[in-house]
Amino acid sequence: MKYRHECKQEINYADMLTLRMRLSAIMNRDEHSLKGSYSVKSLYFDTPDDKALREKINGVNIREKFRLRYYDGDSSVIFLEKKSKINGLCLKQRCSVSAEEVRKLIYGDISWMPKSGRPLCMELYSKMQTQLLAPKTIVDYTREAFTYPAGNVRITLDYNIRTGCSRRDFLDPQVLTVPAGDSPIILEIKWDEFLPDVIRDAVAIPGRRVSAFSKYAQCRIYG
């Protein structure tokens, strides 16, 4: 397991057009972005007292969050993910789960999880039992992604951030979601040991600073 650097910036539409042109010239499109963009739908977990949300807002140095995620409305491929952060570095772990397993989880049947043979499912089960973690909020947005081999760089442009509170409709590709307030466009840059100068120069936008923006926190504005 390798922790990665992660940097976020809040940008506007004009910035995105500039970045899209620059990045397309020097980076490869992510395999999911071959048609330009794709949708990301996640279901985040939290405790009854909103531990994950509070730790993000308070800037706790060591924290984690669990989510379910699938792409472009295709629920035949779903991932359970755990994202950990320590000292500004990030680690993402994931495993595949079936639509039927997700459906059971959403409706409160978690008996399959400790017998699944997947460590991440077993860990989530333990924390659902001890911390009362439970599905909380749907986060839905559009993403464009670029990759660069040196430094294992991945850059994403995320926009049209929407939320839905009907957790049981997570697997419905037509589930109703609404704009998560006045959300900005988010530029995310992730890399391993080093960020090549050509990439650093390409993403430099005057007047933009590192942001701690959280799509999950933004999508909690309605509860």
Side-chain angles (χ1 to χ4, degrees):
M1 295 188 295
K2 178 182 288 188
Y3 280 83
R4 284 162 57 81
H5 298 269
E6 179 179 281
C7 175
K8 297 182 183 180
Q9 293 182 17
E10 299 180 30
I11 62 175
N12 59 36
Y13 186 70
D15 296 334
M16 183 173 71
L17 294 179
T18 299
L19 287 168
R20 184 185 288 156
M21 180 177 64
R22 291 179 183 174
L23 299 178
S24 296
I26 61 174
M27 301 182 73
N28 296 317
R29 284 275 184 176
D30 172 272
E31 60 179 337
H32 300 294
S33 292
L34 296 180
K35 296 181 180 179
S37 65
Y38 58 97
S39 66
V40 182
K41 184 171 291 181
S42 304
L43 178 59
Y44 281 79
F45 291 71
D46 214 333
T47 63
D49 63 347
D50 293 327
K51 179 176 181 287
L53 178 62
R54 288 186 292 104
E55 288 182 346
K56 172 59 182 178
I57 292 174
N58 295 332
V60 174
N61 190 44
I62 301 176
R63 60 184 187 269
E64 65 183 27
K65 57 189 175 187
F66 287 85
R67 67 195 178 203
L68 293 163
R69 172 168 288 187
Y70 65 98
Y71 303 92
D72 273 340
D74 181 9
S75 59
S76 67
V77 181
I78 309 173
F79 296 102
L80 169 63
E81 299 182 342
K82 174 188 174 184
K83 191 170 182 181
S84 307
K85 183 165 257 190
I86 179 170
N87 297 326
L89 297 175
C90 297
L91 172 69
K92 186 170 75 173
Q93 300 163 266
R94 62 163 34 174
C95 70
S96 296
V97 289
S98 70
E100 181 59 26
E101 289 172 334
V102 170
R103 193 171 290 108
K104 288 181 178 179
L105 190 160
I106 291 174
Y107 278 86
D109 178 5
I110 59 175
S111 60
W112 60 272
M113 298 178 73
K115 302 176 254 182
S116 68
R118 284 159 283 175
L120 201 56
C121 289
M122 297 163 73
E123 181 182 352
L124 177 58
Y125 172 83
S126 174
K127 290 177 178 176
M128 291 181 78
Q129 296 288 73
T130 59
Q131 300 179 14
L132 302 182
L133 270 181
K136 197 80 170 187
T137 300
I138 292 175
V139 176
D140 188 15
Y141 56 92
T142 302
R143 164 167 285 180
E144 298 179 32
F146 304 83
T147 62
Y148 193 82
N152 190 24
V153 180
R154 178 177 168 83
I155 295 180
T156 56
L157 300 168
D158 296 339
Y159 50 93
N160 191 27
I161 301 171
R162 303 173 67 85
T163 184
C165 296
S166 181
R167 298 177 289 277
R168 291 186 172 182
D169 291 332
F170 173 62
L171 295 178
D172 180 359
Q174 304 301 320
V175 61
L176 176 65
T177 58
V178 296
D182 188 18
S183 299
I185 299 168
I186 302 300
L187 164 68
E188 290 191 15
I189 310 157
K190 298 177 184 177
W191 69 96
D192 287 346
E193 287 80 10
F194 69 98
L195 183 64
D197 288 341
V198 64
I199 303 298
R200 194 183 300 275
D201 293 341
V203 297
I205 301 291
R208 302 292 176 244
R209 298 180 180 179
V210 173
S211 168
F213 184 89
S214 164
K215 289 186 281 289
Y216 169 60
Q218 181 69 20
C219 286
R220 288 294 307 277
I221 63 173
Y222 301 124

